[in-house]
């Protein structure tokens, strides 16, 4: 969870408030559609397509991020904003609210595509499949995509042609690479694209890069109180802080904790805090139906290379949540420069908090509310740490990352593949 905190600005607005002034409506927006079968009468415009997901009822502590996402953009080009953050931090809820606030400024449609990068294999949506969906959306439900449009280049050309005269708002959710997103960018001037994902998309040309950090402690308490109901929270006015702290500022964890409290009317906040106080069992408490903090982070871990998985697990041997690169270099028996690359890769994957400015030592692991690890073939608790580097790494290391494994020299790192290239991460 890479987390360079946004500076506190003086210009605040509640999420869901009126969006900033948008670009002037496109000439196309003022032209009435031609009359015809299935079309509205002259002078009346057909409703624009809106595929945006529903808005979360409770969104707390995101005023500055919301303001940045809804700021006015140039009507001349296509604006791209890349939003990243660790699993369960609330990226989709924030982007969905911002998109809904902006919807009226995009008369040609508001489209949403979820790439399901961190979903099951059969759910994942590649660029070609996504382009076909988007083409159907802008052409209308009855307009079939020609079968001969199979090649990526042909689909991209068709998409750009179809959108060249449109001003669209496009939300791309759960993106993992710039290569997934580039083909989906519309061509119409004044269009806006909001991209959300766990990984920092260093290879994507973006007008703004925004990192969504865990909620501040006070905001986490407010969200938990809102979710369980003020009347119930007021019966234990001082007890909400501990379960909120145990949720690590993750909105997913806070929502799961509130769901458990709602489903157990006899439980008190203090009782839930007690159940979450054991690091070994606390992640098990953050499970409700098909939602689980452990599963969310597991998906991020599973997408690491085997080498990075080993290095990430080794962070669980660090005695504190904050550590410097020299500590990890000693644990892995590796040169400092290689360790810096490891840490930066984990920052880009939102499993490690952003390093402090040059000259300041320290790092933080960001992984869930407790520290743990998953040895291959066994189901164990996942990691949590905060940098001198702060990591989301395990305190209870699995067998292959015990003291002997951590002291073994780290194998030479192969050349960095293009998908992981890009140099040092930019501040969010």
């Amino acid at each position: 969870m890479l987390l360079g905190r946004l500076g506190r600005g003086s210009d605040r607005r509640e999420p869901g408030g009126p969006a900033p002034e948008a670009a002037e409506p496109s000439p196309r927006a003022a032209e009435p559609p031609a009359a015809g079968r299935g079309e509205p009468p002259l002078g009346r415009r057909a409703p624009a397509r809106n595929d945006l997901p529903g808005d979360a009822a409770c969104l707390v502590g995101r005023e500055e991020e919301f303001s940045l996402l809804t700021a006015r953009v140039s009507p001349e080009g296509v604006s791209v904003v890349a939003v990243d953050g660790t699993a369960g931090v609330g990226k989709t809820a924030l982007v969905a609210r911002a998109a809904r606030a902006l919807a009226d400024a995009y008369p040609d449609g508001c489209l949403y595509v979820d790439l399901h990068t961190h979903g099951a294999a059969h759910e994942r949506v590649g660029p070609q499949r996504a382009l076909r969906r988007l083409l159907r959306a802008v052409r209308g439900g009855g307009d079939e995509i020609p079968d001969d449009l199979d090649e990526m280049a042909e689909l991209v050309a068709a998409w750009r042609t179809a959108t060249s005269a449109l001003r669209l708002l496009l939300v791309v959710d759960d993106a993992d690479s710039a290569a997934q997103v580039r083909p989906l960018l519309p061509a119409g001037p004044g269009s806006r694209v909001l991209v959300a994902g766990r990984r920092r998309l260093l290879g994507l040309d973006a007008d703004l890069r925004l990192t969504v950090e865990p909620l501040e402690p006070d905001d986490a308490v407010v969200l938990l109180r809102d979710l369980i109901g003020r009347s119930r929270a007021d019966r234990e006015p001082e007890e909400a802080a501990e379960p909120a702290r145990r949720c690590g500022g993750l909105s997913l964890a806070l929502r799961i904790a509130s769901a458990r409290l709602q489903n157990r009317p006899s439980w008190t906040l203090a009782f839930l805090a007690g159940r979450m106080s054991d690091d070994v069992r606390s992640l098990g408490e953050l499970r409700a139906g098909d939602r689980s903090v452990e599963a969310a982070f597991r998906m991020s871990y599973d997408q690491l290379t085997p080498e990075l998985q080993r290095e990430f697990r080794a962070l669980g041997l660090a005695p504190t949540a904050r550590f410097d690169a020299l500590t990890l270099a000693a644990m892995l028996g590796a040169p400092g420069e290689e360790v810096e690359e490891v840490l930066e890769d984990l920052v880009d994957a939102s499993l490690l908090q952003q390093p402090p400015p040059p000259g300041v030592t320290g790092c933080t692991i960001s992984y869930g509310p407790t520290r743990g690890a998953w040895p291959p073939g066994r189901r164990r608790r996942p990691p949590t740490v905060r940098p001198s580097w702060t990591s989301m790494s395990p305190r209870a290391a699995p067998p292959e990352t015990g003291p002997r494994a951590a002291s073994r020299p780290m194998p030479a790192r192969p050349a960095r593949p293009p998908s992981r290239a890009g140099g040092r991460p930019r501040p969010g």
Side-chain angles (χ1 to χ4, degrees):
M1 212 149 74
L2 114 299
L3 299 107
R5 189 68 184 167
L6 287 166
R8 297 285 179 185
S10 58
D11 192 12
R12 292 175 173 267
R13 177 159 44 82
E14 288 297 321
E21 184 180 0
E24 292 296 321
S26 65
R28 195 175 174 287
E31 297 174 3
R37 187 176 61 182
E39 296 179 346
L42 286 174
R44 291 180 58 191
R45 183 178 176 83
R49 176 154 178 159
N50 189 329
D51 295 338
L52 299 176
D55 193 3
C58 299
L59 192 64
V60 175
R62 301 301 187 195
E63 293 83 4
E64 291 180 44
E65 294 92 333
F66 180 87
S67 180
L68 288 169
L69 289 174
T70 55
R72 185 172 182 173
V73 297
S74 169
E76 304 301 323
V78 177
S79 172
V80 179
V81 176
V83 180
D84 63 80
T86 195
V89 79
K91 302 177 294 296
T92 299
L94 171 63
V95 168
R97 174 161 296 190
R100 287 199 166 273
L102 292 165
D104 289 344
Y106 295 89
D108 299 318
C110 302
L111 308 180
Y112 174 84
V113 58
D114 189 346
L115 301 182
H116 291 288
T117 297
H118 294 90
H122 69 277
E123 296 177 325
R124 293 172 190 165
V125 178
Q128 286 179 295
R129 186 175 169 195
L131 280 170
R132 287 183 171 277
R133 288 184 181 179
L134 292 172
L135 279 167
R136 282 194 292 269
V138 297
R139 290 184 172 188
D143 196 353
E144 293 298 324
I145 309 301
D147 292 335
D148 59 352
L149 287 183
D150 289 328
E151 296 296 329
M152 174 63 75
E154 294 173 338
L155 284 167
V156 171
W159 170 242
R160 290 174 179 168
T161 299
T163 59
S164 61
L166 304 180
R167 192 167 78 239
L168 297 170
L169 174 62
L170 171 63
V171 176
V172 180
D173 200 6
D174 202 10
D176 191 58
S177 70
Q180 288 178 309
V181 178
R182 288 193 205 101
L184 311 184
L185 300 180
S191 294
R192 187 185 309 224
V193 182
L194 304 179
V195 183
R198 300 182 190 183
R199 179 172 292 278
R200 289 185 169 187
L201 305 183
L202 304 180
L204 181 68
D205 291 333
D207 302 284
L208 173 68
R209 300 180 190 276
L210 176 65
T211 295
V212 181
E213 301 182 13
L215 291 169
E216 295 289 344
D218 289 347
D219 290 332
V221 170
V222 170
L223 178 57
L224 183 60
R225 287 171 56 85
D226 286 347
L227 291 170
I228 65 174
R230 294 299 180 99
S231 59
R232 182 171 183 182
D234 287 344
R235 295 200 294 266
E236 301 175 85
E238 306 299 324
E239 302 298 333
E242 182 57 19
R245 184 185 72 82
R246 289 279 170 182
C247 288
L250 300 179
S251 63
L252 173 63
L254 290 161
R255 292 179 185 280
I256 290 175
S258 69
R260 300 208 68 196
L261 286 167
Q262 291 166 347
N263 199 44
R264 296 287 189 272
S266 62
W267 284 14
T268 64
L269 285 164
F271 179 73
L272 177 61
R275 291 175 65 101
M276 296 175 66
S277 63
D278 182 349
D279 278 353
V280 174
R281 103 183 243 193
S282 64
L283 278 179
E285 297 297 322
L286 293 175
R287 182 190 309 278
D290 61 351
R291 296 194 300 176
S292 162
V293 172
E294 179 179 359
F297 279 103
R298 174 90 189 200
M299 291 175 188
S300 293
Y301 171 84
D302 286 345
Q303 296 216 352
L304 299 176
T305 64
E307 180 188 6
L308 273 178
Q309 287 180 354
R310 172 185 175 270
E311 293 155 354
F312 179 71
R313 292 193 304 265
L315 294 176
L317 298 175
T320 63
R322 294 181 63 86
F323 55 89
D324 58 23
L326 293 177
T327 301
L328 185 57
M331 292 164 55
L332 294 174
E337 289 184 2
E338 292 186 15
V339 168
E340 290 270 353
E341 289 187 6
V342 170
L343 295 175
E344 288 180 2
D345 285 341
L346 293 174
V347 166
D348 290 343
S350 291
L351 289 173
L352 194 67
Q353 284 187 335
Q354 186 175 357
V360 181
T361 59
C363 165
T364 301
I365 297 175
S366 63
Y367 201 18
T370 62
R371 290 159 58 102
W374 303 292
R378 293 182 56 191
R379 198 161 183 278
R380 290 276 303 272
R381 302 299 183 197
T384 299
V385 192
R386 297 278 196 271
S388 320
W389 283 86
T390 295
S391 128
M392 294 180 72
S393 182
R395 180 175 293 274
E400 71 276 21
T401 59
R404 291 184 181 177
S407 63
R408 287 199 296 267
M410 186 168 69
R413 291 171 62 81
R416 293 162 68 90
S419 63
R420 287 171 55 192
R424 294 183 181 275
R426 294 174 54 182

